Each structure stands twice: as C-alpha cells, then as structure tokens.
Amino acid sequence: MGIESILVFLIVGAIAGWLAGLIVSGFGFGLVGNIVVGIVGAFIAGFLFPALGISLGSGIIAAIIHSTIGAVILLVLIKVIKRA
C-alpha cells in the first residue's frame, strides 16, 4: 500500500465519519474522531454488505457512501448501547 492509498483511505474515513456524525448526532467528532469512525464504519459495511448481497460499485464516491452507511450503523449501535 503506497502513501497515496493511505492518504485516500484517511480522507475517505474523515469525510464518512463527518457525514455520519452529522446524520446521527448533528455534529462531527473532530478530525481524528471522524477518521476513526469512518474507518471502523468502512470495516462494518465491508463485512455486512457482501453478506446481504449489496454492492454500491467502485470509485471514491461509492467508498464514501459505503463508509458513511457503516459509520451510521456504528454510531446508532453505540447510542443504543449507551442508553441500555
């Protein structure tokens, strides 16, 4: 994995985490928090979507949408667990 790939990975994670934060709680979590939420969301969606037979295609926009959906799932699960 080259430096360009890592940079794209971090940018997609930051955008996805920020979008998920806006959708779930109305605000982001700071740069590092957004990156972590976006990357973990990408892993969640990476496991969940193929199991459900869902494919969003390829490209950076599809990666951002994919990661954002996974991050929203993560944040909703965290919110449910915190309330329990």
Side-chain angles (χ1 to χ4, degrees):
M1 183 181 282
I3 190 74
E4 297 88 6
S5 297
I6 294 171
L7 187 60
V8 169
F9 194 67
L10 292 175
I11 291 170
V12 168
I15 293 170
W18 175 71
L19 287 172
L22 289 178
I23 291 169
V24 174
S25 62
F27 56 89
F29 302 104
L31 182 61
V32 176
N34 287 340
I35 290 172
V36 170
V37 168
I39 291 173
V40 172
F43 282 116
I44 290 172
F47 286 119
L48 186 62
F49 284 7
L52 297 173
I54 300 171
S55 175
L56 297 177
S58 62
I60 194 157
I61 301 299
I64 291 171
I65 293 169
H66 186 261
S67 299
T68 302
I69 293 170
V72 167
I73 292 169
L74 171 70
L75 293 177
V76 168
L77 286 174
I78 289 173
K79 191 177 273 193
V80 167
I81 290 172
K82 285 177 93 175
R83 286 189 181 176

